Amino acid sequence: MSDPSPTPYDVTLCVEELRAALALHGIKLPSLSVHLPSFAARYGESAGLVTLGNCNMATARALAGVLKKAAGEG
């Protein structure tokens, strides 16, 4: 389930979780980060996007979960 309005800190934790899950498979993505402009929107709730195809936190967490499970960590 995605957070209704994640904070930059929430998304940073999510990015670190995804980075750790990718590392379990020997994958490093130097460009993986918080998409800060997604917090600047004034027309709705903050999206809190992760710059991996600009996926949202729910997608990033699902991906991290699958990667951890595949590595026997989850």
Side-chain angles (χ1 to χ4, degrees), residues 17-55:
E17 179 183 353
L18 181 54
R19 183 174 281 125
L22 288 164
L24 292 171
H25 297 274
I27 300 169
K28 290 185 180 183
L29 296 177
S31 63
L32 182 64
S33 63
V34 176
H35 185 255
L36 294 176
S38 66
F39 290 99
R42 297 280 183 217
Y43 53 84
E45 291 184 2
S46 167
L49 300 178
V50 175
T51 57
L52 176 67
N54 289 337
C55 64

